[in-house]
Amino acid sequence: MSASPVSEKDQDALRALARRVDPSDAGAQNNLGVVYFQRGMVEEALDQFQLAVKLDPKMQIAQRNLEIAYRDTGYYDRRITELRERLRRAPDLREARWELGRVYVSLGQYDHARDEFEELIARHPDDVAVLIQLGLVEKHAGHLEAASEWLQRARSLDERSGVVHLYLGEVLYNRGLNRDALDSLRKAIELNPENADAHYEIAFVQGDMGLHEEARESTRQAIQLNPSLGRAQTNLSLERFQRVDGRRSQAAGGPGRVTRPSVESAQPHYHLGIAFRQKGLFVEALREYRVALDEGETRELVLAGMAEVELLRREYEAALSLYDRLVQDGVEQSKILNERGVVLHQLGQFDEALASYRRACELDEGYVLAQNNLAITMAQLGRHEEAAELLGDTVRAHASAIIPRVNLGLLLYTMGRHQLAIQAFRQVIDVHPKSAVAWNGIGLVLTQIGRTEDARNAFARAVEADPRCAEAQYNLSFALSQLGDFDGALRAVTRAQTLDPYFTPQKFRLAIDLHDEESSVEVVPEISADVTAEMSSQALVFDTGLLDNLFSELDHEPPPAPSAEPRDPFSLARDYQEKGLLELAAAEANRVMARGGDALDGHLLLGHIFAGRGLHGEALERYRAARAIEPERTDARLGEIRALLALDRGREALPSALELSDMSDDVNSRIVLAEVQIASGSPAEALETLAAARTRAPQRADLLKLEGDIALSLQNLATARQAYESAMALDPRFLEVRLALANVYREQEAWGLAEDAYRAALDLSPNAMEAAVALAELYRRDNEAKEAVNLLVDVLRSNPLSLEGLLALGHALIDDNRLDDAGQAFERVLAFDDGHIGALFFAGVVCARQRRYPQAVAHWERVIAIDPSSPFAQKARRHARTAVDLQHIFQTEAA
Amino acid sequence: MRRLLREILEQGGYEVLGEAATGAEAIERYKELRPDFVTLEVVMPDVGGIDAVRAIRAFDADARIVMCTALGQQSLINEARDAGAREFVVKPFQPSRVLEAVQQVLE
């Protein structure tokens, strides 16, 4: 990887871009990761790849990118080591084990992932989130029956979870059990009608069962709910960038349409320019393209990209100048010539536009978009027959081409050929039943032939398909007013005016190709679709079958079923959140908000989700956005304060926490105030706050624990002991309190009480290494080394890699004078961590006791070299000097 | 499925030269059109997907074939691989996965 340092400005630009990337689009997240990686922002890249894999666990390219980034950076080696170490110290730590399992899943190491999740389920048998993870792990590993079993167990525990039904449905489908899969996915949809993934997957099941119409409708609904499901894009791969390193100067192009830049060409600024353009950040895109030119990236690609941006921002003169430069440079590509034609067209230079489109068509006879644009220009020049003929040829040759078909319908309508126009629009609707422009076109024709009621229904269908279609809103208002429904007309026209203050007649559409995204954008020339009386009088003869069929469809549109009770639009997102699938939860919450879901609820939910992912900065933004909508909302304020605490900005939260505490009787607001006071360096005030809180909630052990912790931080052992003892009385199974209390007893030299408390902690959690080590220490203090050894051996049996436990065992074995065994215990620690200075020091002690002085000195010298200022190093210096003397004495004696 | 694949491939900048409803038809269409690559379902009426792979590879040893399948048909996947299929797309798939697979077989 060749990464150049990234300027602060570039980093800010990239982060701004990241915020605008569709949070539910795994491909976009992956591609952003590649851009980060190319810029040397490895941590950010890893986050993006991980997010992509979590959003779409089947996305192999993101999986490979993650593995490459992992291999190149060793990031996960470190993360896995950290998590394993945390789990060695506290095997019950659910959060760490969960993350470790998820990391293994991300890396495709399913056996390891299974081990972690099985360990979790053994400790929490009813944890639905873990059961889902086990199901997914087995599914990824290809063990479909095992996956079904785990997911069926999850379903039996949480029958109302759409997420469980979704995953189970997919596994059943993979097993070929289509009927069961269908039932499961239907249940998922029944529970969450807006579950895009369930609609998408049920389409596959329906397709395989021969239910093609249903499948098509399901796909359509899925894409409507989550447009990224309909977006086919080639995602970027680090593998390819690495493979072709050094080939960046190759020129692309030559005649032909396909000028899509190869992802192999590793042109970071160019790709970043595209990414900015895709997000509508045109100025940033142009800036990036200019850097690409300076950096020597392929000139013609970059100039074409710049021209595209100028076209999109309607800077036609600038765009034309760039296209002309490309043409002068000898670039003769149909795509470039088509876009140049669009620019000329917009500048009113119709003859030049025609020539440019024609040349594009000559270079590529199958280029639908140029043919479409050529026809529109002809129509604009009054050559309707020629235009209709060309569009007719185009749609016959390319049955799935939509834009030319819509234009053909509109052209035929303007020519008064109403039946043919209806046929053209109808064919669009066959492919895209929710095409607003096609329904609007049908409405126009029906209005023209006096079928106003049917026209009204057609316009209503258009509005339903796309509520932002201003022309359909205007047309609906006209139809309603003609039918005497003036209130309805007023409502429609008001909506229309909010979208576009001026009446917009239906327009023709010019089409262009855009790199790496949906293949066309509409650029609208000002062509009137007004119909002359002469034209409309020509064709009032209709195929009544065609119309009847259309009208019956218009009449029988089922009204939306009224729901029995108001449904929470965020229920699916909450379901994902509960199951620990936080990335999917965030993506779904964003989609609901984009569909008009309540912004306050959405921001709050996203705040909780980001906080759950440890992204406290993001969480803070969301809570603040929620408070901007409803400043007094308690949960938003609580979230904001907790996020500030997590960001070590507790002092900043103090005014808000005080205000909240005054406003609310809720105990949680007192607890959070106490936490803020601690973070602000006022523990005494925190204690007062907690004492006040305790009067309101005397049964809450966590309050007492916090009180004990604060007292401990103030070295007030008596108060701490009192608080912990009270907490224990309320909740004898509170392990952390039991341990904290035992530590206080030990500090107070109440040895008997301490021993009992550690034993009680071990009864609660037999693998609690901290308790075992502390108790072993007490045994050693009482010269009961054998007891200590037995205890530690027992605990290490279930947790053999605990360095802390092995170290304590080594000490106990020294006390028991079993020096060889002690040496082995320390060597075992060193096998896992060869720089562990505690183990090195005591290994030296064992060697010295065995009179192996050179070895002892070697161990101690390493201690001194690793951390010269540590207490171990100071002791090691003293011991080493003694050992050298002793070595000398023994050598002399031997002589 | 064919419609979905067509839409995905066209969005990805590929031209779909033809479609076939059965394995036998797929073989005939391949011979007639000689496409750069072909996508096949493992389970198809008439001649099954694996036999279609064999027939196509017998006609054109360099044929690039992407199979679409559900995981449950794993034994069939192995058979298809032995017959000469180069890439597999597991259903239900995301559009970008299809493009990835096609790019792989074209490389």
Side-chain angles (χ1 to χ4, degrees), chain A residues 696-774:
Chain A
R696 290 169 194 276
Q699 298 301 312
R700 279 185 60 165
D702 58 332
L703 274 178
L704 286 158
K705 180 189 179 288
L706 192 56
E707 208 175 310
D709 292 347
I710 299 168
L712 207 56
S713 74
L714 292 169
Q715 313 279 321
N716 186 344
L717 291 179
T719 306
R721 175 173 168 170
Q722 199 179 2
Y724 291 143
E725 282 176 342
S726 304
M728 276 290 86
L730 288 172
D731 183 359
R733 300 191 61 77
F734 201 152
L735 179 66
E736 287 169 326
V737 175
R738 178 81 62 190
L739 276 169
L741 181 58
N743 291 338
V744 170
Y745 288 147
R746 190 181 56 190
E747 288 292 309
Q748 292 182 319
E749 301 187 352
W751 307 116
L753 288 173
E755 212 172 297
D756 290 346
Y758 286 127
R759 274 208 202 93
L762 280 170
D763 286 343
L764 279 176
S765 173
N767 299 325
M769 191 55 76
E770 187 184 342
V773 168

Side-chain angles (χ1 to χ4, degrees), chain A residues 238-304:
Chain A
L238 291 180
E239 207 167 30
R240 294 204 176 90
F241 279 119
Q242 293 189 330
R243 211 186 301 150
V244 297
D245 197 21
R247 279 203 278 145
R248 57 164 39 189
S249 62
Q250 277 184 357
R257 181 171 81 246
V258 183
T259 60
R260 195 175 295 274
S262 163
V263 290
E264 298 186 8
S265 54
Q267 307 195 65
H269 295 284
Y270 171 73
H271 285 294
L272 193 55
I274 290 178
F276 278 123
R277 193 260 289 143
Q278 284 174 331
K279 296 291 152 202
L281 301 169
F282 296 142
V283 174
E284 290 83 351
L286 285 173
R287 189 194 67 199
E288 210 56 41
Y289 285 138
R290 280 187 208 106
V291 178
L293 283 179
D294 292 344
E295 294 284 317
E297 294 180 17
T298 310
R299 178 182 152 83
E300 70 186 50
L301 283 179
V302 180
L303 288 179

Side-chain angles (χ1 to χ4, degrees), chain A residues 147-173:
Chain A
S148 301
E149 282 170 21
W150 287 119
L151 291 168
Q152 275 158 351
R153 196 168 139 189
R155 185 181 59 183
S156 69
L157 289 167
D158 191 355
E159 183 69 30
R160 303 287 304 162
S161 167
V163 172
V164 173
H165 288 285
L166 169 70
Y167 288 135
L168 182 58
E170 185 175 333
V171 171
L172 292 169
Y173 169 60

Side-chain angles (χ1 to χ4, degrees), chain A residues 211-384:
Chain A
L211 306 168
H212 299 298
E213 280 307 314
E214 288 89 337
R216 195 182 305 173
E217 177 58 18
S218 297
T219 306
R220 190 193 62 73
Q221 283 187 29
I223 292 171
Q224 195 174 31
L225 289 165
N226 179 4
S228 77
L229 289 171
R231 214 174 289 150
Q233 61 189 12
T234 313
N235 293 313
L236 301 180
S237 156
L238 291 180
E239 207 167 30
R240 294 204 176 90
F241 279 119
Q242 293 189 330
R243 211 186 301 150
V244 297
D245 197 21
R247 279 203 278 145
R248 57 164 39 189
S249 62
Q250 277 184 357
R257 181 171 81 246
V258 183
T259 60
R260 195 175 295 274
S262 163
V263 290
E264 298 186 8
S265 54
Q267 307 195 65
H269 295 284
Y270 171 73
H271 285 294
L272 193 55
I274 290 178
F276 278 123
R277 193 260 289 143
Q278 284 174 331
K279 296 291 152 202
L281 301 169
F282 296 142
V283 174
E284 290 83 351
L286 285 173
R287 189 194 67 199
E288 210 56 41
Y289 285 138
R290 280 187 208 106
V291 178
L293 283 179
D294 292 344
E295 294 284 317
E297 294 180 17
T298 310
R299 178 182 152 83
E300 70 186 50
L301 283 179
V302 180
L303 288 179
M306 291 173 82
E308 236 172 43
V309 171
E310 296 292 12
L311 191 162
L312 290 171
R313 60 201 289 245
R314 296 176 187 262
E315 294 290 342
Y316 299 123
E317 296 286 355
L320 184 59
S321 150
L322 286 160
Y323 284 122
D324 283 346
R325 266 168 76 185
L326 282 163
V327 172
Q328 280 157 18
D329 286 354
V331 177
E332 201 174 35
Q333 292 175 0
S334 51
K335 177 184 182 302
I336 300 288
L337 290 165
N338 179 53
E339 286 167 16
R340 183 170 173 272
V342 171
V343 171
L344 289 161
H345 196 146
Q346 297 287 11
L347 289 168
Q349 300 175 34
F350 296 119
D351 288 336
E352 289 89 339
L354 269 181
S356 207
Y357 292 139
R358 277 217 172 88
R359 185 69 191 129
C361 293
E362 281 165 16
L363 284 170
D364 183 349
E365 289 177 2
Y367 195 11
V368 175
L369 303 184
Q371 287 166 5
N372 171 75
N373 296 346
L374 180 58
I376 297 309
T377 316
M378 287 171 171
Q380 191 146 34
L381 293 171
R383 293 153 61 178
H384 292 104

Side-chain angles (χ1 to χ4, degrees), chain A residues 56 58 60-61 139 142 144 173-174 200-201 204 208 216 229-235 240 243 260 264 400, chain B residues 1 3-4 8 10-13 41 70-74 91-97 99-100 103-104 107:
Chain A
D56 177 7
K58 292 190 289 275
Q60 293 178 5
I61 208 161
K139 176 175 172 292
L144 298 177
Y173 169 60
N174 288 155
Y200 191 72
E201 291 189 6
F204 282 85
D208 281 8
R216 195 182 305 173
L229 289 171
R231 214 174 289 150
Q233 61 189 12
T234 313
N235 293 313
R240 294 204 176 90
R243 211 186 301 150
R260 195 175 295 274
E264 298 186 8
S400 60
Chain B
M1 181 59 61
R3 182 189 293 269
L4 183 60
I8 291 169
E10 285 180 348
Q11 272 195 57
E41 281 263 8
L71 269 182
Q73 299 150 348
Q74 250 172 353
K91 296 188 291 183
F93 48 69
Q94 300 276 337
S96 56
R97 171 66 197 123
L99 297 184
E100 265 175 57
Q103 203 168 36
Q104 284 289 116
E107 277 177 359

Side-chain angles (χ1 to χ4, degrees), chain B residues 25-85:
Chain B
E25 208 183 311
I27 299 163
E28 285 315 305
R29 300 288 281 161
Y30 187 90
K31 289 177 179 172
E32 177 196 335
L33 298 168
R34 297 295 300 268
D36 293 333
F37 66 91
V38 60
T39 65
L40 287 175
E41 281 263 8
V42 169
V43 178
M44 285 198 294
D46 193 354
V47 176
I50 295 170
D51 288 332
V53 174
R54 287 197 190 99
I56 289 171
R57 295 273 291 184
F59 171 73
D60 174 4
D62 295 326
R64 297 173 167 108
I65 302 170
V66 177
M67 302 296 291
C68 296
T69 176
L71 269 182
Q73 299 150 348
Q74 250 172 353
S75 58
L76 295 175
I77 291 181
N78 290 333
E79 220 178 314
R81 194 184 290 277
D82 293 344

Side-chain angles (χ1 to χ4, degrees), chain A residues 89-104:
Chain A
R89 285 199 299 273
D92 283 332
L93 216 53
R94 182 188 184 280
E95 170 213 345
R97 199 171 293 283
W98 171 274
E99 190 189 339
L100 186 58
R102 297 278 281 166
V103 166
Y104 283 133

